[in-house]
Amino acid sequence: MGNFDLLMQGFGVAITPMHLVLMVAGVLLGLVVGVLPGLGAPNGVSLLIPLTFTLDPTSAIILLSSMYWGALFGGSTTSILFNIPGEPSSVATTFDGYPMAKAGQSTRALTLAFMSAGFGALLGVLVITLLAGWASDFALRFGAPEYFAVYFLAFAAFIGMGSASPVKTVVSLSMGLLLASVGMDNVTGEVRLTFGFSELLGGISFLVVVIGLFGIGELLATVQEGLKFRGVSSRIDLRDVFRTMAELPRYWATSLRSGLIGIWMGITPGGPTAASFMSYGIARQASRKGEPFGTGRPEGIIAPETADHSAGSCAMLPMLALGVPSSATAAVMMGGLMIWGLTPGPMLFATKPDFVWGLIASMYISNVVGVILVLMTVPMFAALLRIPFAIIGPMIVAICFVGGYTVSGASFDLWLVLLFGLVGYLFTRLDYPLAPLVLSMVLGHKAENAFYQSMILSDGSLKVFFSNPLVGSIMALALALLILPKLLQLGGRLRRRQPVE
């Protein structure tokens, strides 16, 4: 059965009254999460997971993914109206979005952002539709060495291609692997790193860690920055909306280029934030003469928004097909799937096709719903942002602690939420990336088990990771991604330092 037929079956799963209601609810919740600084998509999704335990897995993942798209849209709203990025990936949108809104063109800026975001998201979902079957068939050839090579590739790509310092990325990855190893060893049965706390025998829940890192941590950073909301007019004029929509085809090259950048950065561990900045920079270099960027150029809104949403959509492909999340939010969703008893990877496509294609179909619908809802609710969320942060902040703290407690009903988890909140705050202040920590915590057990199995198969020889063309090529690619980007950067610095004759 072809991908198109499977997608049609997926629409049959997704288009039910229950799932449509969940999409609308998820997008609205995501808009709240994206609008309020201090929450963010990873934390919002992690807070919702305990509430989805009463739902079937298909309904639960549709709700979570819809919330993710809504959070991306919500971050654009605050970036344009208040010059405050609700999401890290919305930072680049502030450069031209806020100046355009400040110049009295808020409807035009918002429409450019939301329509570009919708185009980027649908482009990303189309890529998932075309490649999902091929990626899962290819992954069926994998054994333990190949899976470990893929996990190593994910870690290496974060180190080599990430925007943060490689040393800081290694520290973040290492901390995640340490947290994943707390509790009982799956192979030997030995207890590790519990330090006498019986509450840690079962390990540390990644949900508790994520709530602390992204919820309390981001909130502490926001408080220190002395956040104040100063917005511009947020009325939506329908005539301006349609006029701006007619203007969009003029920037087709920027949209297509930015969408392709987002697709690449979504499939690899670059992520939406890196995609938006890269797309903005390339758009600035490729632009024709006119008003400088940073003064309200349409391309300065279209480029980051298209790349942001296409990257956010495509991050789902490696998570579903290979079991390797390429963003923090995808890692949280993958943890949710494992809690529900589903193992992301090629067998998921074979054993649960209704689940996978129902999710992919829902991504088309929920992104269209997101564009419509965000245009309808901009005035409401702008009014929400005018509530003093002294009121919103404690509400976010309460939500985080309630979410942390509902994971297992243990008061010890509340202390862990607070502890990881401080860790998240320190990481943010010291520019340590959080996504590698979440990724390595989710993949830690899987990577360790794959390594154990590989060593058993090879009698302890590392040559097993180069024992056939498939695993050897993956390991070679991982080593290349680990080393080559930094060598090229070093070479560029050396060339710049050479004296000009």
Side-chain angles (χ1 to χ4, degrees), residues 38 52 54 69 304 347 357 381 420:
T52 63
T54 57
W69 316 136
M347 292 307 297
W357 289 100
F381 287 115
F420 287 109

Side-chain angles (χ1 to χ4, degrees), residues 7-20:
L7 181 63
M8 290 301 101
Q9 288 187 6
F11 275 110
V13 173
I15 302 177
T16 65
M18 172 69 171
H19 288 160
L20 290 174

Side-chain angles (χ1 to χ4, degrees), residues 158-159 163-175 426-434 436-437:
F158 263 106
I159 297 169
S163 57
S165 160
V167 175
K168 292 181 177 180
T169 304
V170 169
V171 170
S172 184
L173 282 169
S174 301
M175 179 171 286
L426 290 174
F427 268 48
T428 302
R429 299 304 302 172
L430 298 175
D431 292 326
Y432 280 80
L434 292 174
L437 191 157

Side-chain angles (χ1 to χ4, degrees), residues 3 69 91 138 143 147 174 198 259 321 411 441 472:
N3 283 9
W69 316 136
V91 172
F138 175 71
Y147 273 112
S174 301
S198 59
S411 57
M441 189 174 180

Side-chain angles (χ1 to χ4, degrees), residues 51-67:
L51 304 180
T52 63
F53 291 161
T54 57
L55 300 174
D56 63 273
T58 304
S59 300
I61 196 67
I62 286 175
L63 176 62
L64 295 181
S65 61
S66 299
M67 182 179 183

Side-chain angles (χ1 to χ4, degrees), residues 33 38 43 49 62 67 100 150 154 196 207 245 297 305 313 352 362 478:
V33 166
N43 188 50
I49 286 179
I62 286 175
M67 182 179 183
M100 183 182 287
V150 169
L207 285 176
M245 290 170 65
R297 281 285 290 263
E305 285 298 310
S313 298
K352 299 287 185 180
S362 77

